[in-house]
Amino acid sequence: MSQEDSDSDSEVALPADTLAMLQSFLAEKQDAEQRFAALRETAHADADSAAARRKIEVSMDDFTEDWQLSQFWYDKTTAVHLATHSVAVTPAAGKLACISSPTVFVELMKHAELADAVDPYVFEFDSRFSVFGPAFVFFDFNHPTTFDTLNDTRPLQAQFDTLVVDPPFLSDECWTKTSECVRWLAKKDSCKIIVCTGLVMRAKIEKELGCKLTSFEPKHKGGLSNEFGCFTNFESEGFRWVE
């Protein structure tokens, strides 16, 4: 038997319906990659324009959850609540950052009345969100104070009025480093901090950032087995502390 015959015999033919599903999946993936490439070009072409950020017409449906990155998107009600009430407590034109919380950022950017009211940023490991140009800041929690300031044209340290935070992993290491990032970015003595994470982290959050559990309960599109809570270092119409 020739090597060619042996290779031919070893090939596995997929059923027609399975092959069609695979081809459809690959085609959708390619379309998504081309779409994001075009969006990145638009964002970087208008990098100096704040309005350019709002030209990026995407929704969270365009971003498939990557479980390896511990990505679990909020449901619509949660995203709207966090976006609306985080903007409400931010001074006019103040800096607002969503740290590992892209669902809130994307929801905010969909509404001109919210996006125009503040100077919004998304700190995120997933480079797909770079479609938002200079509003995107690459964030690896293992390096909590190392960021690209775009040759000092984008100052970040102690610049933020409001921080919306959702640490990607429920571990002491991740929380400790994320809280270091929060303290580094926050304006001293005036920053509003909103943390959404597992209730198991409650004691650490209160100790390290002075954030208390509120009555608002974040929900996720796919549901999570972990009990989730929302913690803040302030009270407002959208966030009331509980005992």
Side-chain angles (χ1 to χ4, degrees):
M1 180 183 295
S2 69
Q3 180 65 42
E4 183 178 349
D5 290 337
S6 177
D7 291 342
S8 177
D9 290 343
S10 65
E11 292 178 357
V12 177
L14 294 174
D17 57 345
T18 303
L19 181 60
M21 291 176 61
L22 177 60
Q23 291 173 334
S24 176
F25 169 77
L26 293 175
E28 290 178 3
K29 183 178 179 181
Q30 183 177 22
D31 288 344
E33 290 174 350
Q34 291 175 345
R35 172 170 163 74
F36 278 109
L39 288 170
R40 278 192 291 270
E41 287 183 10
T42 299
H44 291 296
D46 295 327
D48 295 330
S49 171
R53 304 174 186 178
R54 298 190 299 276
K55 294 178 184 177
I56 307 303
E57 297 180 357
V58 296
S59 72
M60 290 310 294
D61 292 335
D62 294 302
F63 300 92
T64 304
E65 293 174 338
D66 186 338
W67 293 355
Q68 290 184 319
L69 296 180
S70 191
Q71 290 180 337
F72 302 95
W73 303 150
Y74 297 136
D75 65 15
K76 179 71 173 179
T77 300
T78 297
V80 170
H81 186 96
L82 291 171
T84 302
H85 290 286
S86 62
V87 169
V89 298
T90 305
K95 279 186 166 56
L96 184 157
C98 298
I99 303 173
S100 301
S101 185
T103 322
V104 179
F105 177 82
V106 172
E107 183 63 35
L108 186 159
M109 297 304 290
K110 287 165 54 180
H111 304 281
E113 69 275 15
L114 297 179
D116 288 344
V118 297
D119 185 11
Y121 292 78
V122 58
F123 285 68
E124 176 58 43
F125 185 84
D126 188 342
S127 62
R128 289 179 297 175
F129 293 94
S130 66
V131 297
F132 289 98
F136 168 81
V137 182
F138 178 76
F139 171 56
D140 180 346
F141 78 84
N142 292 297
H143 307 283
T145 62
T146 301
F147 302 108
D148 182 0
T149 60
L150 303 181
N151 295 320
D152 296 326
T153 63
R154 183 175 65 179
L156 299 173
Q157 186 175 12
Q159 296 294 308
F160 286 85
D161 298 282
T162 305
L163 297 170
V164 182
V165 189
D166 187 345
F169 301 101
L170 287 177
S171 70
D172 287 347
E173 179 187 19
C174 181
W175 170 249
T176 298
K177 291 182 176 179
T178 299
S179 63
E180 182 181 352
C181 169
V182 169
R183 290 191 294 270
W184 193 85
L185 294 173
K187 280 188 176 179
K188 188 175 181 180
D189 300 327
S190 64
C191 182
K192 301 291 194 299
I193 302 171
I194 303 165
V195 180
C196 295
T197 190
L199 292 178
V200 67
M201 307 303 292
R202 181 175 181 176
K204 289 182 177 296
I205 294 170
E206 185 163 356
K207 178 181 179 181
E208 295 188 23
L209 294 179
C211 293
K212 300 179 181 179
L213 180 65
T214 71
S215 58
F216 176 65
E217 297 182 17
K219 303 292 184 183
H220 296 79
K221 290 172 65 175
L224 281 180
S225 58
N226 299 315
E227 290 187 292
F228 238 67
C230 178
F231 308 80
T232 65
N233 66 342
F234 66 94
E235 284 191 287
S236 69
E237 181 181 347
F239 306 105
R240 296 295 183 190
W241 291 332
V242 298
E243 294 298 328

mmCIF file of all heavy atoms in Angstrom, residues 34-54:
data_model
loop_
_atom_site.group_PDB
_atom_site.id
_atom_site.type_symbol
_atom_site.label_atom_id
_atom_site.label_comp_id
_atom_site.label_asym_id
_atom_site.label_seq_id
_atom_site.Cartn_x
_atom_site.Cartn_y
_atom_site.Cartn_z
ATOM 1 N N GLN A 34 -13.290 40.242 10.404
ATOM 2 C CA GLN A 34 -13.215 41.324 9.414
ATOM 3 C C GLN A 34 -13.933 42.571 9.918
ATOM 4 O O GLN A 34 -13.468 43.698 9.721
ATOM 5 C CB GLN A 34 -13.803 40.851 8.093
ATOM 6 C CG GLN A 34 -12.964 39.786 7.391
ATOM 7 C CD GLN A 34 -13.625 39.239 6.141
ATOM 8 O OE1 GLN A 34 -14.827 39.422 5.913
ATOM 9 N NE2 GLN A 34 -12.851 38.543 5.319
ATOM 10 N N ARG A 35 -15.065 42.367 10.592
ATOM 11 C CA ARG A 35 -15.826 43.493 11.137
ATOM 12 C C ARG A 35 -15.016 44.219 12.205
ATOM 13 O O ARG A 35 -14.932 45.448 12.208
ATOM 14 C CB ARG A 35 -17.142 42.975 11.727
ATOM 15 C CG ARG A 35 -17.960 44.006 12.501
ATOM 16 C CD ARG A 35 -19.337 43.444 12.817
ATOM 17 N NE ARG A 35 -20.017 44.171 13.859
ATOM 18 C CZ ARG A 35 -20.566 45.361 13.726
ATOM 19 N NH1 ARG A 35 -20.517 45.983 12.554
ATOM 20 N NH2 ARG A 35 -21.177 45.950 14.741
ATOM 21 N N PHE A 36 -14.395 43.473 13.116
ATOM 22 C CA PHE A 36 -13.602 44.104 14.162
ATOM 23 C C PHE A 36 -12.376 44.804 13.586
ATOM 24 O O PHE A 36 -11.963 45.856 14.074
ATOM 25 C CB PHE A 36 -13.190 43.076 15.217
ATOM 26 C CG PHE A 36 -14.252 42.809 16.233
ATOM 27 C CD1 PHE A 36 -14.934 41.610 16.260
ATOM 28 C CD2 PHE A 36 -14.589 43.771 17.169
ATOM 29 C CE1 PHE A 36 -15.926 41.364 17.193
ATOM 30 C CE2 PHE A 36 -15.573 43.544 18.115
ATOM 31 C CZ PHE A 36 -16.252 42.337 18.119
ATOM 32 N N ALA A 37 -11.781 44.246 12.542
ATOM 33 C CA ALA A 37 -10.632 44.880 11.899
ATOM 34 C C ALA A 37 -11.034 46.225 11.310
ATOM 35 O O ALA A 37 -10.316 47.226 11.444
ATOM 36 C CB ALA A 37 -10.068 43.971 10.814
ATOM 37 N N ALA A 38 -12.199 46.263 10.672
ATOM 38 C CA ALA A 38 -12.688 47.515 10.091
ATOM 39 C C ALA A 38 -13.012 48.534 11.176
ATOM 40 O O ALA A 38 -12.722 49.730 11.029
ATOM 41 C CB ALA A 38 -13.922 47.238 9.234
ATOM 42 N N LEU A 39 -13.598 48.074 12.272
ATOM 43 C CA LEU A 39 -13.924 48.968 13.376
ATOM 44 C C LEU A 39 -12.667 49.546 14.008
ATOM 45 O O LEU A 39 -12.623 50.724 14.375
ATOM 46 C CB LEU A 39 -14.748 48.223 14.421
ATOM 47 C CG LEU A 39 -16.192 47.879 14.046
ATOM 48 C CD1 LEU A 39 -16.805 46.942 15.068
ATOM 49 C CD2 LEU A 39 -17.029 49.136 13.908
ATOM 50 N N ARG A 40 -11.619 48.726 14.140
ATOM 51 C CA ARG A 40 -10.360 49.220 14.697
ATOM 52 C C ARG A 40 -9.757 50.297 13.811
ATOM 53 O O ARG A 40 -9.218 51.295 14.297
ATOM 54 C CB ARG A 40 -9.377 48.067 14.896
ATOM 55 C CG ARG A 40 -9.594 47.284 16.187
ATOM 56 C CD ARG A 40 -8.439 46.345 16.473
ATOM 57 N NE ARG A 40 -8.387 45.249 15.523
ATOM 58 C CZ ARG A 40 -9.007 44.098 15.684
ATOM 59 N NH1 ARG A 40 -9.737 43.884 16.760
ATOM 60 N NH2 ARG A 40 -8.894 43.140 14.782
ATOM 61 N N GLU A 41 -9.833 50.099 12.500
ATOM 62 C CA GLU A 41 -9.309 51.100 11.569
ATOM 63 C C GLU A 41 -10.049 52.416 11.729
ATOM 64 O O GLU A 41 -9.447 53.487 11.739
ATOM 65 C CB GLU A 41 -9.433 50.589 10.136
ATOM 66 C CG GLU A 41 -8.449 49.487 9.783
ATOM 67 C CD GLU A 41 -8.570 49.061 8.328
ATOM 68 O OE1 GLU A 41 -9.270 49.754 7.568
ATOM 69 O OE2 GLU A 41 -7.963 48.040 7.961
ATOM 70 N N THR A 42 -11.370 52.349 11.869
ATOM 71 C CA THR A 42 -12.178 53.557 12.058
ATOM 72 C C THR A 42 -11.796 54.265 13.344
ATOM 73 O O THR A 42 -11.616 55.485 13.378
ATOM 74 C CB THR A 42 -13.674 53.200 12.103
ATOM 75 O OG1 THR A 42 -14.047 52.596 10.867
ATOM 76 C CG2 THR A 42 -14.527 54.446 12.348
ATOM 77 N N ALA A 43 -11.652 53.477 14.411
ATOM 78 C CA ALA A 43 -11.334 54.058 15.713
ATOM 79 C C ALA A 43 -9.981 54.744 15.710
ATOM 80 O O ALA A 43 -9.830 55.850 16.222
ATOM 81 C CB ALA A 43 -11.364 52.970 16.788
ATOM 82 N N HIS A 44 -8.977 54.097 15.119
ATOM 83 C CA HIS A 44 -7.632 54.669 15.136
ATOM 84 C C HIS A 44 -7.490 55.825 14.148
ATOM 85 O O HIS A 44 -6.699 56.739 14.360
ATOM 86 C CB HIS A 44 -6.607 53.588 14.846
ATOM 87 C CG HIS A 44 -6.487 52.590 15.956
ATOM 88 N ND1 HIS A 44 -6.037 52.921 17.214
ATOM 89 C CD2 HIS A 44 -6.791 51.264 16.025
ATOM 90 C CE1 HIS A 44 -6.053 51.867 18.000
ATOM 91 N NE2 HIS A 44 -6.517 50.841 17.301
ATOM 92 N N ALA A 45 -8.298 55.831 13.097
ATOM 93 C CA ALA A 45 -8.265 56.940 12.149
ATOM 94 C C ALA A 45 -8.783 58.214 12.792
ATOM 95 O O ALA A 45 -8.341 59.321 12.485
ATOM 96 C CB ALA A 45 -9.099 56.601 10.915
ATOM 97 N N ASP A 46 -9.743 58.069 13.725
ATOM 98 C CA ASP A 46 -10.326 59.219 14.420
ATOM 99 C C ASP A 46 -9.922 59.226 15.889
ATOM 100 O O ASP A 46 -10.696 59.588 16.757
ATOM 101 C CB ASP A 46 -11.860 59.178 14.326
ATOM 102 C CG ASP A 46 -12.355 59.329 12.900
ATOM 103 O OD1 ASP A 46 -11.691 60.038 12.138
ATOM 104 O OD2 ASP A 46 -13.392 58.726 12.560
ATOM 105 N N ALA A 47 -8.697 58.817 16.149
ATOM 106 C CA ALA A 47 -8.257 58.618 17.534
ATOM 107 C C ALA A 47 -8.377 59.869 18.390
ATOM 108 O O ALA A 47 -8.562 59.778 19.597
ATOM 109 C CB ALA A 47 -6.808 58.124 17.544
ATOM 110 N N ASP A 48 -8.277 61.046 17.778
ATOM 111 C CA ASP A 48 -8.324 62.277 18.549
ATOM 112 C C ASP A 48 -9.737 62.802 18.749
ATOM 113 O O ASP A 48 -9.936 63.830 19.385
ATOM 114 C CB ASP A 48 -7.485 63.360 17.861
ATOM 115 C CG ASP A 48 -6.004 63.002 17.831
ATOM 116 O OD1 ASP A 48 -5.567 62.299 18.758
ATOM 117 O OD2 ASP A 48 -5.313 63.403 16.883
ATOM 118 N N SER A 49 -10.716 62.111 18.188
ATOM 119 C CA SER A 49 -12.085 62.579 18.261
ATOM 120 C C SER A 49 -12.870 61.795 19.298
ATOM 121 O O SER A 49 -13.005 60.585 19.207
ATOM 122 C CB SER A 49 -12.767 62.434 16.892
ATOM 123 O OG SER A 49 -14.150 62.700 16.999
ATOM 124 N N ALA A 50 -13.414 62.502 20.294
ATOM 125 C CA ALA A 50 -14.237 61.826 21.304
ATOM 126 C C ALA A 50 -15.488 61.252 20.660
ATOM 127 O O ALA A 50 -15.986 60.203 21.060
ATOM 128 C CB ALA A 50 -14.620 62.819 22.403
ATOM 129 N N ALA A 51 -15.990 61.931 19.638
ATOM 130 C CA ALA A 51 -17.192 61.456 18.949
ATOM 131 C C ALA A 51 -16.943 60.137 18.245
ATOM 132 O O ALA A 51 -17.872 59.358 18.024
ATOM 133 C CB ALA A 51 -17.670 62.503 17.949
ATOM 134 N N ALA A 52 -15.683 59.864 17.892
ATOM 135 C CA ALA A 52 -15.367 58.623 17.174
ATOM 136 C C ALA A 52 -15.730 57.402 17.996
ATOM 137 O O ALA A 52 -16.119 56.375 17.456
ATOM 138 C CB ALA A 52 -13.880 58.590 16.819
ATOM 139 N N ARG A 53 -15.625 57.520 19.312
ATOM 140 C CA ARG A 53 -15.954 56.388 20.165
ATOM 141 C C ARG A 53 -17.415 55.987 19.992
ATOM 142 O O ARG A 53 -17.765 54.816 20.053
ATOM 143 C CB ARG A 53 -15.704 56.744 21.632
ATOM 144 C CG ARG A 53 -14.295 57.223 21.918
ATOM 145 C CD ARG A 53 -14.184 57.682 23.366
ATOM 146 N NE ARG A 53 -12.887 58.282 23.636
ATOM 147 C CZ ARG A 53 -12.538 58.792 24.810
ATOM 148 N NH1 ARG A 53 -13.394 58.763 25.813
ATOM 149 N NH2 ARG A 53 -11.357 59.324 24.988
ATOM 150 N N ARG A 54 -18.277 56.981 19.793
ATOM 151 C CA ARG A 54 -19.697 56.692 19.696
ATOM 152 C C ARG A 54 -20.087 56.219 18.301
ATOM 153 O O ARG A 54 -21.218 55.785 18.088
ATOM 154 C CB ARG A 54 -20.489 57.938 20.080
ATOM 155 C CG ARG A 54 -20.233 58.386 21.510
ATOM 156 C CD ARG A 54 -21.210 59.468 21.930
ATOM 157 N NE ARG A 54 -21.097 60.656 21.111
ATOM 158 C CZ ARG A 54 -20.210 61.622 21.308
ATOM 159 N NH1 ARG A 54 -19.337 61.510 22.298
ATOM 160 N NH2 ARG A 54 -20.165 62.672 20.546
#
